[in-house]
Amino acid sequence: MSRVRLLAMLAATAVAAGVVAVFNMLPASAAACAAAWQSSAVYTGGATVSHNGRNFLAKWWTQNEAPPGTTGVWQDQGSCGGSTPQPPTQTGSAGGCSFPAWVQGRNYVTGDVVKFTDGKYYVAEHDNPGYSPTISTWYWDPYTCSGGGTTQPPTNPTTNPPNNGAFVVSEAQFNQMFPNRNPFYTYNGLVAALSAYPAFAKTGTDAQRKQEAAAFLANVNHETGGLVYIVEQNTANYPHYCDTSQPYGCPAGQAAYYGRGPIQLSWNFNYKAAGDALGIDLLHNPNLVQTDPAVAMKTALWYWNTQSGPGTMTPHNAMVNGAGFGETIRSINGSLECGGRNPAQVQSRVAAYQRFVGILGVGVGAGNLSC
């Protein structure tokens, strides 16, 4: 039962008994403050801290991110050591609501009601760091109020949470992203490759996991023409990818280490490093990247999760730490595309990312889209 309805019932009872009463909003007792947040401390999922008069719950491992933070790791548990602020209420203006405007990047908690840029109102179904109500529909529901009254925010959201054990991209969404893909690139091959890097698309909030998956697939889309090309198309480049200064040389042949797979793995030293990391002898068998769909995807995930290329961080870290999609471009091909070198190529990647997050129902996230 809502607080407003409860007070109305109490008022009616008092009048019936001949008692004149004035009902005020009763102050809510705040919880005791947890131990103060420390920048040097390491917190794991379930840890509770206090900061600036509020308690926060850690959703996963974190260090040196002051609550409420920007990555979504901290869940606001409300005020501590004082009165808890009441949820926003409608002021009674005729014909509609008077809730505050939505602000991108502001932390919202379950039950918050905002007015979005489309002029409509939305209620937070789950805590979130300012995701768009029209994109992140798991976090927001439409909210209706009219006249002098208002529909109360739901107190027990019924939306099912995402299945954290499954890949955040369904097969139907994968097919929607790549309608013209080569049959070599299969959804099952992608899913089979995920075990090689379990942190991929499994780190952070549901939105962050989807954003990382979308970022990876957007770069893959650009590198392969929409998952069409398995191998590098410019065959004239093939003999150039053998670095003979390496002690192991090029045992598969001078022209054997051309670009293959979703992120076009090339050079003998990259085949050696990826193979060593994955437990596959790619130095002697580079063709596995163009004949085994799971191996192909694993090499792409190897680069994504472990290599920074011309950038300063891995693409995985760029997405989970809030640096933004632009830094994934820099780490993959920044020396040729970023800093104004090839804005059309950069925009191609950005456009794919924007399309893919739309398919997954999330916003573009924090950080720069471009590089």
Side-chain angles (χ1 to χ4, degrees):
M1 180 181 297
S2 71
R3 187 182 186 86
V4 172
R5 186 177 176 189
L6 175 61
L7 291 175
M9 291 176 62
L10 291 173
T13 302
V15 170
V19 178
V20 178
V22 177
F23 288 88
N24 297 313
M25 292 298 289
L26 300 177
S29 298
C33 287
W37 172 81
Q38 300 290 330
S39 61
S40 60
V42 173
Y43 299 99
T44 56
T48 303
V49 300
S50 63
H51 189 61
N52 292 336
R54 301 184 73 80
N55 280 335
F56 294 88
L57 174 70
K59 297 180 183 178
W60 59 86
W61 185 98
T62 185
Q63 183 179 19
N64 198 30
E65 181 177 353
T70 59
T71 65
V73 64
W74 291 112
Q75 181 174 340
D76 194 332
Q77 302 293 292
S79 296
C80 63
S83 60
T84 304
Q86 298 301 314
T89 57
Q90 205 269 340
T91 62
S93 57
C97 305
S98 61
F99 292 110
W102 169 83
V103 177
Q104 184 176 13
R106 176 176 294 176
N107 284 288
Y108 293 100
V109 298
T110 302
D112 282 349
V113 179
V114 297
K115 182 178 182 181
F116 192 52
T117 54
D118 60 3
K120 298 178 182 179
Y121 292 87
Y122 297 84
V123 58
E125 285 273 3
H126 302 88
D127 296 357
N128 70 88
Y131 296 134
S132 167
T134 59
I135 296 178
S136 296
T137 53
W138 189 73
Y139 291 97
W140 297 96
D141 265 353
Y143 180 75
T144 304
C145 56
S146 59
T150 178
T151 304
Q152 295 301 309
T155 55
N156 294 302
T158 57
T159 306
N160 291 327
N163 182 353
N164 293 337
F167 186 40
V168 292
V169 180
S170 70
E171 185 169 8
Q173 290 169 330
F174 179 77
N175 291 334
Q176 184 180 354
M177 292 172 177
F178 303 104
N180 301 312
R181 63 182 171 81
N182 190 307
F184 171 78
Y185 291 113
T186 65
Y187 179 77
N188 289 337
L190 172 58
V191 172
L194 298 179
S195 61
Y197 292 95
F200 171 74
K202 293 287 184 69
T203 305
T205 65
D206 178 61
Q208 287 175 306
R209 293 192 290 270
K210 290 178 178 179
Q211 286 158 356
E212 183 182 8
F216 170 76
L217 293 172
N219 280 294
V220 161
N221 175 82
H222 178 82
E223 295 290 323
T224 61
L227 281 185
V228 171
Y229 302 119
I230 302 172
V231 301
E232 184 175 355
Q233 297 300 290
N234 187 356
T235 57
N237 285 339
Y238 285 15
H240 300 159
Y241 295 121
C242 176
D243 181 359
T244 56
S245 70
Q246 301 296 332
Y248 41 78
C250 298
Q254 176 78 21
Y257 301 98
Y258 52 84
R260 295 178 176 89
I263 295 190
Q264 297 289 281
L265 186 72
S266 55
W267 289 98
N268 56 329
F269 49 81
N270 280 328
Y271 278 87
K272 175 71 163 60
D276 288 350
L278 297 170
I280 306 169
D281 186 4
L282 296 180
L283 183 66
H284 291 85
N285 302 284
N287 276 335
L288 284 174
V289 183
Q290 69 185 75
T291 58
D292 187 319
V295 171
M297 284 293 181
K298 284 181 180 180
T299 62
L301 290 172
W302 165 78
Y303 191 95
W304 184 268
N305 288 276
T306 69
Q307 304 299 299
S308 58
T312 60
M313 64 190 78
T314 67
H316 170 74
N317 285 338
M319 294 306 297
V320 302
N321 293 330
F325 179 72
E327 289 303 314
T328 72
I329 303 174
R330 190 184 308 280
S331 296
I332 292 172
N333 208 27
S335 59
L336 296 179
E337 296 181 16
C338 295
R341 295 179 182 88
N342 199 328
Q345 297 294 304
V346 171
Q347 184 53 40
S348 168
R349 297 178 193 264
V350 171
Y353 177 61
Q354 292 172 320
R355 181 164 63 90
F356 289 174
V357 292
I359 290 173
L360 297 180
V362 294
V364 296
N368 294 323
L369 280 179
S370 182
C371 62

